[in-house]
Amino acid sequence: MKEKLKRFFTEYSREKILALLLTFVLWIFMISGNSEIRDFSLKLEVIVDENVILVSDVADIVHVKASGSIFDFAGINEDRLLLRVNLSGKTAGIHTRFLDASMMPFDEGVKIEKIFPSELVFRISPKAEKAVSIDPWLEGQLPLGWKLSGWTVEPEKIVVEGPEREVEELENITTERILLGEITGNVERTVKVRSAVPFIKPAGQDIVKIKITVERDVETRNFPKINVKLDSGKESEIVPSEVSLRLRGPKDILHKMETEGFNVFVKDIEERETFKATSFYIKDLPEEVQMIEDKKPVEITINKVSK
């Protein structure tokens, strides 16, 4: 068996190599003659002069159907396919370009079958610049218990560029969204500016600092029928057993106290079984909350219950 394999590779080796080369050449000839169709997407790049601006909604991509052999397509990098349309020297107005095979970035062996769109319409406007004020986009409401005091923007103005008529009419430009619902104190945000008007953009700097100042939203709230207890915890009869009071403080804290409920306490006088009091207090009352005393204090009678 080994002898037969050795004779196969050694005898008539020149003829065998020639036959192999001939087969390879015939294979190359056959596949080069086979044509196939492929679809390509070309990124569109439009070149205009510095003193004008393109203001038409032109497709970013041009679709091309092309035919050719596998070798014609071998050197094409689809990620780098770019179609340039040069409008340098064109003045303001409407300009039309018809796309044909001569404009496509392919080698001669590639045949262009179809281009879509085959016609592009460009509208060019004179370009203008202008310094405009900044109106930050503040969305939503501050959390309960806080209110907006104001804000400042640094810088106060930025220069924008765009179509001449639209720039002349523009008074201010906004920013990226800032959610007020996440703010519970003075904050500083660095955001990008953005224009709601098409084709207008910052001519240079596009980052601004927004300083937002807030303060506590304070109110006075009535709390009726609050239970009265002796702070020593001793069993007692208290008349009246409920009082009404007014508290002043941030809305969120007062809302929490109203929702969770609380008691007022009278300080115990240890040596007395019965006594009267005109003052009471709330345990662990937040520093930001104040109890507003009535002009006519309520007199509370405490009778300790003997066991």
Side-chain angles (χ1 to χ4, degrees):
M1 183 66 179
K2 292 183 179 180
E3 186 66 26
K4 289 182 179 181
L5 289 173
K6 181 178 180 181
R7 288 174 58 192
F8 177 80
F9 286 105
T10 56
E11 292 182 1
Y12 308 106
S13 58
R14 181 182 300 177
E15 290 81 356
K16 291 176 181 178
I17 293 174
L18 289 174
L20 180 61
L21 290 175
L22 180 59
T23 302
F24 180 73
V25 170
L26 289 174
W27 178 76
I28 294 294
F29 178 76
M30 289 178 63
I31 64 172
S32 63
N34 292 334
S35 180
E36 59 182 58
I37 294 179
R38 292 190 185 182
D39 293 319
F40 297 94
S41 297
L42 281 64
K43 295 180 181 178
L44 181 64
E45 180 183 282
V46 183
I47 302 172
V48 296
D49 291 333
E50 287 292 327
N51 61 337
V52 296
I53 185 172
L54 182 67
V55 292
S56 53
D57 290 320
V58 182
D60 296 330
I61 300 294
V62 173
H63 301 280
V64 176
K65 188 179 293 292
S67 61
S69 70
I70 187 173
F71 297 106
D72 295 326
F73 294 133
I76 297 176
N77 186 338
E78 295 188 37
D79 294 333
R80 296 185 179 181
L81 287 177
L82 185 66
L83 175 60
R84 287 189 175 91
V85 177
N86 193 347
L87 298 180
S88 299
K90 298 297 182 181
T91 57
I94 297 177
H95 303 274
T96 303
R97 283 290 182 271
F98 295 96
L99 305 182
D100 56 39
S102 64
M103 303 174 66
M104 301 298 111
F106 297 105
D107 294 335
E108 295 181 0
V110 177
K111 182 181 178 182
I112 305 301
E113 303 291 342
K114 186 177 181 180
I115 302 172
F116 179 81
S118 59
E119 177 184 347
L120 298 175
V121 179
F122 305 96
R123 186 165 73 89
I124 296 177
S125 170
K127 183 165 67 175
E129 292 186 353
K130 180 183 178 181
V132 296
S133 58
I134 301 166
D135 185 15
W137 181 9
L138 305 179
E139 184 176 275
Q141 296 182 340
L142 290 169
L144 184 65
W146 296 90
K147 63 181 180 180
L148 187 64
S149 299
W151 67 82
T152 59
V153 184
E154 182 183 343
E156 295 181 355
K157 293 186 175 184
I158 66 165
V159 178
V160 298
E161 65 179 19
E164 186 175 55
R165 185 179 65 181
E166 286 82 352
V167 169
E168 288 177 356
E169 295 175 350
L170 190 69
E171 296 298 330
N172 54 59
I173 192 170
T174 188
T175 66
E176 294 175 322
R177 181 176 61 175
I178 299 174
L179 297 176
L180 292 178
E182 301 173 350
I183 296 175
T184 56
N186 297 335
V187 297
E188 180 178 300
R189 293 281 191 269
T190 300
V191 293
K192 286 188 175 183
V193 296
R194 53 184 298 176
S195 172
V197 182
F199 309 111
I200 289 183
K201 63 180 182 179
Q205 179 180 355
D206 64 347
I207 300 292
V208 296
K209 289 182 179 180
I210 311 293
K211 294 181 180 179
I212 301 172
T213 55
V214 298
E215 61 182 272
R216 277 303 208 173
D217 190 5
V218 177
E219 69 173 9
T220 300
R221 187 176 300 191
N222 293 322
F223 291 83
K225 297 183 178 181
I226 303 300
N227 291 328
V228 182
K229 295 182 178 296
L230 197 62
D231 67 353
S232 63
K234 292 181 178 180
E235 188 176 351
S236 58
E237 295 178 354
I238 300 176
V239 180
S241 60
E242 296 176 337
V243 295
S244 297
L245 67 156
R246 290 189 301 158
L247 299 178
R248 181 170 178 79
K251 286 183 177 180
D252 57 322
I253 297 179
L254 297 184
H255 177 74
K256 182 178 180 181
M257 292 179 68
E258 185 176 45
T259 302
E260 297 180 354
F262 62 94
N263 299 312
V264 296
F265 294 88
V266 174
K267 186 174 180 59
D268 191 5
I269 302 177
E270 295 290 341
E271 63 273 14
R272 295 185 183 179
E273 294 298 318
T274 300
F275 64 93
K276 296 181 182 293
T278 56
S279 63
F280 45 80
Y281 67 95
I282 301 172
K283 289 183 179 180
D284 301 320
L285 183 67
E287 294 182 0
E288 298 169 287
V289 178
Q290 295 178 336
M291 187 183 303
I292 300 175
E293 296 182 1
D294 291 332
K295 293 181 179 179
K296 294 181 179 180
V298 177
E299 186 177 74
I300 301 172
T301 300
I302 296 92
N303 292 311
K304 300 177 185 177
V305 177
S306 300
K307 294 184 179 179

